[in-house]
């Protein structure tokens, strides 16, 4: 499905030389013997996911769509980015689906939280609170406030029916509260970390509420799982991507700029940044993941990419077929001089912007480019893409000899914040 | 107004050593003798701006607010980022002002353009098209399509009244069309480049339509202009910021991460990235400008910043007083364990997240941090901040011996794209 073009990487990528390493790591992933092997549940998830729960997610989404105008998702990190990026990638930035999905619990900004609560005052909304422990500060604070607002609007009984909890299957504060109050609950599996969780209930419920077909999403992930269960670097595009970024990293490139030509994929860049930054940014190693949306950002970061400090390479995600197209018409005055484009499709112009930029950056700028192409952006291809990036990320981190599944660095700021806030038990 | 804290930069910044360089460059800015000296109009703009036009912008904004539900701004780069970041920073992400401002002309994506046009079909909208030449591809294509839609809805006469052109004062395709059709017009000054244009009509008209007080915006910029017209590095915080980032760049830091703790400042990061990336990213030099919104992105890029490749420093923008605040209440069950925060303000928790993160990144991570603090985020302070960053940017680029006001690298992709598209006259 995905095409990878490695002819613009400036450096010739010695795929063959990675043959044995890739084989060994692939085995470690399959046998679950690598670092962080407790968190490899996502590798077989598109086959092993809980089918019963999946059907319940679809039914619940129908109930939410039928009864509420807005679903407020409270979550942070992996409990936020996957759903948001999928919904924007599929529905666009001016969506027409009925039930709006908005996000909270991903910030401690009183300005943001105030505005969301104010906006919800006269709205008919349900809540999906997503937290493994139920004690994540950002999410729990927002959930307390949201719950209070909802109860004041509709009473406790109706509020409890409008709250959906995605959390641990047995333990933790949120699970306990859900059991006590009777919230409908969904499971965050023990062996899938936040940034690999978009295909679990964490992502699936909000994505389904936004009107997207999660069966197709899972079908795409399933096909990617089958396709990339292949230890041969010469034929596995997912591992080729991992090896290429690892090789470029060793060629003194320290930043990977993830680029798309669609504004509705901007949040996909944010998901990508969490996946790679949190998986690889350890032991003073790893590529800094960055992202841009062209041609918009060619009028912003373009100058730096073209001629600034040569510290980055680009990974471009192109889509063959746009979901919508527009033909540029002729204009009798032609003051803007655009008549040379008359009769052309806008998607064609966008593609020429990509080709022109590719040659400007690679030939003039000597900036390595990896080009990935998907046939279309729909649920199937997005599920496929999610799996592609997750599996490539595991391979990449293992090539760096790093555990792709922990995030010890994130705990440091939390502990220091808890201490300042006087949290009981924190020294 | 702005406070700069240089006690977390790991490296001691030798401000004194820059004394003479700063003096010389300050003189070159004032006497307009430095590189790119044709584009220094912004340095005295808060005093020299066209007062008559300014009043006309305010009146026009009132007319637009009274007659339309939406203002569609067509522009790219500097003709897009300033207005968008100002409106979001001031009105937030769930704004309550009457007239909505949306953006087009900043992409060639047929998906995005289709969605915006579809959204506008049954809306009562005006257009502000912003382009110096009137031939910028992204903007001109969108403007053609928008105009066609508007004429089909309201007829040519009403459409011409609903179109506002911000363009060259005398020449160019858009100026010509505006004169022919009678569009109300505003001026992009000859001596102010796109990324320094937010305080001209380019930014001011959309910002005023969004209900923001542009008199206060200009007052803040004016006070910054007076304050930072000071050649003494020991007392000029704006130049201290410029010198510090230059010094850290020379200490092998290659990325500047601009960080705020407010989601509504996320676009301010995009404006920042254009300003610095396009001004400095030349001759294989310059800091890659990046941005993040905490604590959201602590659950994404936080791990990399804390423990990944040590290639970056952070510039944190904090706001002393939030516009809104919320008190965290006690909960009788306290399942989430948050009662230790009961009675505390959310803004206080956000500030402790900042302090905890600062110490985690600086003390544990050895990541240099520059901390900027503004008393409040309102029009006055934003105008002040815009000027602060623009002036610091000029100083920074001159310290690198780079022309801060051109962008030759952006032309390369355009020429290659034009060639592929068969634009007349392009070889």
């Amino acid at each position: 499905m995905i095409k990878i073009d490695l002819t613009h990487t400036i450096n010739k990528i010695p795929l063959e030389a990675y043959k044995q390493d890739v084989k060994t790591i692939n085995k470690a992933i399959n046998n679950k013997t690598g670092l962080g092997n407790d968190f490899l549940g996502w590798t077989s998830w598109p086959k092993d996911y809980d089918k019963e729960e999946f059907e319940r997610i679809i039914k619940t989404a129908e109930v939410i769509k039928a009864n509420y105008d807005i679903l407020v998702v409270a979550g942070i990190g992996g409990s936020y980015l996957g759903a948001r990026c999928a919904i924007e990638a599929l529905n666009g930035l001016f969506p027409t689906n009925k039930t709006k999905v908005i996000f909270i619990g991903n910030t401690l900004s009183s300005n943001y939280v105030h505005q969301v609560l104010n906006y919800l005052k006269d709205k008919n909304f349900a809540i999906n609170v997503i937290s493994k422990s139920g004690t994540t500060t950002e999410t729990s604070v927002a959930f307390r406030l949201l719950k209070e607002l909802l109860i004041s609007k509709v009473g406790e009984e109706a509020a409890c029916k409008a709250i959906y909890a995605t959390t641990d299957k047995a333990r933790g504060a949120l699970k306990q509260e859900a059991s006590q109050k009777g919230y409908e609950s969904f499971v965050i599996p023990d062996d899938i970390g936040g940034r690999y969780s978009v295909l679990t209930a964490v992502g699936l419920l909000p994505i389904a509420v936004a009107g997207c077909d999660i069966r197709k999403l899972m079908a795409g992930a399933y096909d990617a799982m089958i396709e990339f269960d292949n230890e041969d670097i010469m034929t596995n595009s997912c591992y080729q991507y991992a090896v290429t970024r690892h090789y470029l990293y060793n060629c003194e490139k320290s930043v990977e700029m993830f680029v798309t030509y669609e504004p509705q994929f901007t949040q996909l860049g944010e998901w990508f940044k969490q996946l790679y930054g949190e998986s690889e940014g350890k032991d003073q190693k790893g590529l800094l993941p960055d992202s841009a949306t062209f041609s918009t950002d060619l009028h912003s970061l373009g100058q730096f990419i073209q001629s600034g400090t040569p510290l980055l390479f680009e990974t471009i995600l192109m889509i063959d077929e746009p979901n919508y197209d527009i033909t540029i018409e002729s204009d009798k005055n032609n003051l803007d001089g655009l008549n040379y484009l008359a009769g052309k499709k806008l998607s064609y112009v966008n593609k020429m912007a990509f080709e022109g930029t590719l040659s400007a950056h690679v030939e003039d700028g000597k900036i390595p480019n990896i080009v990935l192409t998907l046939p279309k952006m729909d649920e199937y291809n997005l599920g496929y893409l999610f799996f592609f990036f997750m599996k490539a990320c595991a391979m990449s981190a293992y090539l760096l000899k790093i555990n792709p599944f922990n995030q010890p660095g994130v705990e440091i700021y939390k502990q220091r914040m808890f201490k300042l806030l006087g949290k009981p038990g924190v020294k």
Side-chain angles (χ1 to χ4, degrees), chain A residues 27-70:
Chain A
K27 200 165 284 170
I29 294 174
N30 284 341
N31 300 343
K32 307 200 176 190
T33 53
L35 290 166
N37 52 9
D38 286 351
F39 288 93
L40 280 160
W42 58 272
T43 57
S44 56
W45 184 253
K47 173 166 62 72
D48 294 341
Y49 68 94
D50 181 336
K51 312 297 180 298
E52 216 165 43
E53 184 189 57
F54 188 82
E55 296 304 322
R56 195 158 55 84
I57 290 171
I58 291 175
K59 275 198 197 108
T60 304
E62 291 305 322
V63 171
I64 295 172
K65 281 154 67 180
N67 291 286
Y68 305 97
D69 300 321
I70 295 173

Side-chain angles (χ1 to χ4, degrees), chain A residues 70-74 87 100-104 112 116 119-120 125:
Chain A
I70 295 173
L71 177 67
V72 190
V73 175
I87 294 169
K100 195 170 168 171
V101 179
I102 66 173
F103 296 90
I104 198 170
Y112 182 84
V116 173
Y119 169 80
L120 289 172
F125 68 92

Side-chain angles (χ1 to χ4, degrees), chain A residues 305-326:
Chain A
I305 297 169
Q306 185 74 53
S307 318
T309 304
L311 79 169
L312 60 83
F313 70 87
E314 293 172 276
T315 294
I316 318 284
L317 176 68
M318 287 304 290
I319 307 295
D320 255 340
E321 279 293 313
N323 291 354
Y324 301 101
D325 217 339
I326 294 172

Side-chain angles (χ1 to χ4, degrees), chain A residues 263-338:
Chain A
Q264 72 200 65
F265 298 167
T266 302
Q267 279 295 318
L268 188 61
E270 297 302 312
W271 177 82
F272 175 92
K273 279 152 74 172
Q274 187 204 17
L275 179 62
Y276 282 87
E278 219 168 58
S279 297
E280 294 192 320
K282 290 158 206 171
D283 302 345
Q284 267 67 49
K285 292 196 248 181
L287 287 159
L288 172 67
D290 200 354
S291 64
T293 306
F294 289 172
S295 61
T296 311
D297 295 335
L298 288 172
H299 296 247
S300 143
L301 290 170
Q303 170 66 40
F304 185 94
I305 297 169
Q306 185 74 53
S307 318
T309 304
L311 79 169
L312 60 83
F313 70 87
E314 293 172 276
T315 294
I316 318 284
L317 176 68
M318 287 304 290
I319 307 295
D320 255 340
E321 279 293 313
N323 291 354
Y324 301 101
D325 217 339
I326 294 172
T327 302
I328 300 167
E329 307 285 348
S330 186
D331 179 279
K332 62 177 190 303
N333 296 316
N334 194 32
L335 280 173
D336 55 16
L338 284 183

Side-chain angles (χ1 to χ4, degrees), chain A residues 12 16 18 41 43 46 77 89 102 112 125 149 185 190 210 216 228 239 254 258 273 321 326 328 331 336 378 405 423:
Chain A
K12 171 139 183 60
E16 191 80 39
Y18 280 86
T43 57
I102 66 173
Y112 182 84
F125 68 92
L149 172 65
S185 297
D190 285 332
K216 289 186 183 152
F228 303 128
Y239 289 164
S254 46
F258 175 71
K273 279 152 74 172
E321 279 293 313
I326 294 172
I328 300 167
D331 179 279
D336 55 16
D378 55 14
F405 308 116
K423 185 175 177 172

